[in-house]
Amino acid sequence: MTRSAPLLPIAYSDEVTAAKERGAPLVALESTIITHGMPYPGNLEMARSVERIIREEGAVPATIAVIEGVLHVGLDDAELEALAQTSGAMKLSRADLAFAIAERRTGATTVAATMIAAARAGIRVFATGGIGGVHRKAEESFDISADLDELARTGVIVVCAGAKAILDIPKTLEVLESRGVPVVTYDSPDFPAFWSRESGLPSPLMLNSPAAIAHFQTVREQLGIDGGMLIANPVPEESEIPRREMEIYIQRALDHAERDEITGKAVTPYLLDTIFRLTDGRSLATNIALVENNARLAAEIAVALAV
């Protein structure tokens, strides 16, 4: 006698359920930026703002998180506020997403975990801040984000402001190229560097409209090409911190991390917090601006895909 596996506990919000029933465009959102990216209540204000922008552009937001072992695709406002005040949430990637569900834990999803959940829910577009990648001195630490392999295997369009500038961006682009991941910069020949509009590297590909991005993805699907697509969306010019200035802060933060022997998953939040202090909060303001900018573009792409 064979046993059927128990159904995966997925909770869709009422808004997401209604959107799926009528075939409305959806945009997935990660939750680590809420639990690990900034303190309360700023994190809640940012999350609400991003969701509002997506709705204004004609799509439906689906913030993804694991709450007491249940994978949530879309959060109502009370759940969003509770998550924003949660302390001790796990930071979930491919390796531990299933662990949190199996052990009934609460955790926030990174890029990789959000992509997995979005694909499972039939959501084709995901907006985030910046992807993870190859860390500086990875030849010594072997610290490479699972985001890159996830982009190679999971068919979701990821809209970001480029790779986080604390990373080794040339090596990150090399890995993406070797994995066959299309890297498209929106309306610019220069690949962006999160807080800065330029990384000093040319973009592998460029498209200048959400419709063109949607058409590119449709052709990939018609050819049977698996995996995701990375859309790099430069931060608005009025909100950027120039690359040369940011590199000074980044190097100081890296020196602090080496001094304090920070490793593994603790590296990125440590560096972001240090840079926040070194820039007197400017980096956070830029971070919020780029996330909102990415949400807008992601919604436009999702709407174009639904046409």
Side-chain angles (χ1 to χ4, degrees):
M1 179 178 178
T2 58
R3 287 185 179 179
S4 59
L7 293 175
L8 181 69
I10 300 181
Y12 294 98
S13 68
D14 290 344
E15 185 181 22
V16 170
T17 298
K20 288 173 68 67
E21 288 174 350
R22 67 179 189 272
L26 286 152
V27 175
L29 296 167
E30 63 156 291
S31 47
T32 53
I33 193 170
I34 300 171
T35 59
H36 294 74
M38 58 190 75
Y40 180 83
N43 57 351
L44 178 61
E45 293 168 2
M46 177 276 306
R48 285 173 171 165
S49 173
V50 167
E51 290 199 347
R52 182 176 62 253
I53 287 167
I54 290 171
R55 293 186 186 102
E56 289 171 352
E57 296 299 330
V60 173
T63 298
I64 293 173
V66 175
I67 301 174
E68 295 181 353
V70 177
L71 178 60
H72 284 251
V73 178
L75 300 176
D76 63 30
D77 195 63
E79 290 167 335
L80 197 64
E81 182 163 7
L83 184 67
Q85 296 182 70
T86 297
S87 60
M90 294 180 67
K91 186 177 180 181
L92 304 176
S93 190
R94 167 171 279 268
D96 40 23
L97 174 62
F99 175 87
I101 295 171
E103 293 298 311
R104 300 182 180 179
R105 302 280 291 275
T106 291
T109 53
T110 61
V111 168
T114 305
M115 289 183 71
I116 293 168
R120 182 76 172 73
I123 301 174
R124 302 169 72 189
V125 185
F126 160 39
T128 186
I131 63 162
V134 181
H135 279 259
R136 302 187 191 200
K137 298 185 179 180
E139 64 274 14
E140 300 172 9
S141 67
F142 292 90
D143 193 349
I144 301 174
S145 172
D147 294 354
L148 302 185
D149 280 339
E150 206 60 54
L151 277 159
R153 62 160 64 97
T154 302
V156 174
I157 296 173
V158 178
V159 181
C160 68
K164 293 184 177 74
I166 57 177
L167 303 170
D168 187 320
I169 294 180
K171 287 187 175 67
T172 297
L173 288 174
E174 285 290 343
V175 171
L176 288 169
E177 181 182 13
S178 70
R179 299 290 193 274
V181 178
V183 176
V184 181
T185 297
Y186 180 65
D187 204 24
S188 174
D190 301 300
F191 186 75
F194 198 62
W195 296 287
S196 309
R197 291 179 59 82
E198 299 177 7
S199 64
L201 299 168
S203 180
L205 300 168
M206 182 183 77
L207 291 170
N208 59 9
S209 75
I213 294 168
H215 182 60
F216 180 21
Q217 178 63 11
T218 298
V219 173
R220 292 181 73 232
E221 293 169 356
Q222 291 170 340
L223 288 169
I225 297 175
D226 297 328
M229 180 193 299
L230 186 70
I231 305 300
N233 185 29
V235 63
E237 188 172 357
E238 65 273 13
S239 300
E240 82 159 332
I241 302 175
R243 178 168 60 94
R244 289 183 179 178
E245 181 182 354
M246 275 309 307
E247 192 58 34
I248 295 171
Y249 302 130
I250 290 168
Q251 193 54 58
R252 288 178 185 171
L254 289 167
D255 291 342
H256 287 223
E258 184 174 358
R259 179 199 66 197
D260 294 341
E261 299 181 345
I262 305 299
T263 60
K265 285 187 176 183
V267 171
T268 296
Y270 177 93
L271 292 176
L272 295 179
D273 181 64
T274 303
I275 290 168
F276 169 78
R277 289 185 279 105
L278 290 172
T279 61
D280 294 324
R282 288 171 61 207
S283 63
L284 179 57
T286 298
N287 195 346
I288 293 171
L290 65 86
V291 170
E292 292 176 342
N293 193 45
N294 296 340
R296 184 172 290 104
L297 177 59
E300 292 170 348
I301 295 168
V303 169
L305 280 168
V307 173

XYZ file of all heavy atoms in Angstrom, residues 173 182-185 189 191 202-206:
90
model
N 28.839 38.514 -12.688
C 28.376 38.494 -14.072
C 28.953 37.308 -14.842
O 28.270 36.706 -15.683
C 28.739 39.809 -14.766
C 27.931 41.037 -14.340
C 28.483 42.302 -14.988
C 26.458 40.870 -14.680
N 20.157 35.214 -18.803
C 20.166 36.503 -19.490
C 20.205 37.643 -18.470
O 19.426 37.659 -17.513
C 18.831 36.518 -20.245
C 18.331 35.116 -20.227
C 18.898 34.480 -19.001
N 21.112 38.585 -18.670
C 21.221 39.767 -17.820
C 20.899 40.980 -18.677
O 21.656 41.327 -19.593
C 22.625 39.889 -17.195
C 22.743 41.172 -16.384
C 22.934 38.670 -16.330
N 19.765 41.601 -18.385
C 19.270 42.723 -19.184
C 19.207 43.967 -18.305
O 18.565 43.951 -17.254
C 17.850 42.424 -19.720
C 17.349 43.593 -20.567
C 17.833 41.128 -20.516
N 19.864 45.031 -18.726
C 19.711 46.299 -18.009
C 18.601 47.093 -18.682
O 18.523 47.173 -19.912
C 21.020 47.097 -17.995
O 21.998 46.351 -17.277
C 20.833 48.440 -17.299
N 22.984 51.229 -21.058
C 24.027 50.307 -21.509
C 24.951 49.864 -20.382
O 25.780 48.976 -20.571
C 24.796 51.134 -22.546
C 24.647 52.549 -22.063
C 23.267 52.628 -21.462
N 25.702 48.285 -16.591
C 25.152 47.442 -15.534
C 25.244 48.204 -14.217
O 26.306 48.708 -13.848
C 25.941 46.134 -15.435
C 25.345 45.156 -14.466
C 24.192 44.448 -14.788
C 25.923 44.943 -13.228
C 23.636 43.546 -13.895
C 25.375 44.044 -12.326
C 24.227 43.346 -12.660
N 29.872 47.195 -18.722
C 28.759 47.271 -19.667
C 27.739 46.172 -19.372
O 28.089 45.101 -18.877
C 29.430 47.055 -21.024
C 30.639 46.233 -20.700
C 31.106 46.706 -19.357
N 26.502 46.450 -19.680
C 25.473 45.435 -19.503
C 25.533 44.422 -20.641
O 25.722 44.804 -21.803
C 24.090 46.073 -19.472
O 23.103 45.084 -19.305
N 25.384 43.135 -20.340
C 25.370 42.145 -21.416
C 24.279 42.398 -22.451
O 24.491 42.240 -23.649
C 25.137 40.824 -20.672
C 25.682 41.067 -19.295
C 25.348 42.501 -19.011
N 23.087 42.796 -21.981
C 21.953 43.059 -22.874
C 21.222 44.307 -22.376
O 21.319 44.653 -21.200
C 20.980 41.873 -22.887
C 21.529 40.519 -23.347
C 20.534 39.408 -23.035
C 21.867 40.545 -24.835
N 20.472 44.950 -23.271
C 19.695 46.122 -22.869
C 18.350 46.110 -23.588
O 18.274 45.800 -24.781
C 20.438 47.418 -23.205
C 19.694 48.680 -22.755
S 20.518 50.227 -23.224
C 20.088 50.336 -24.964
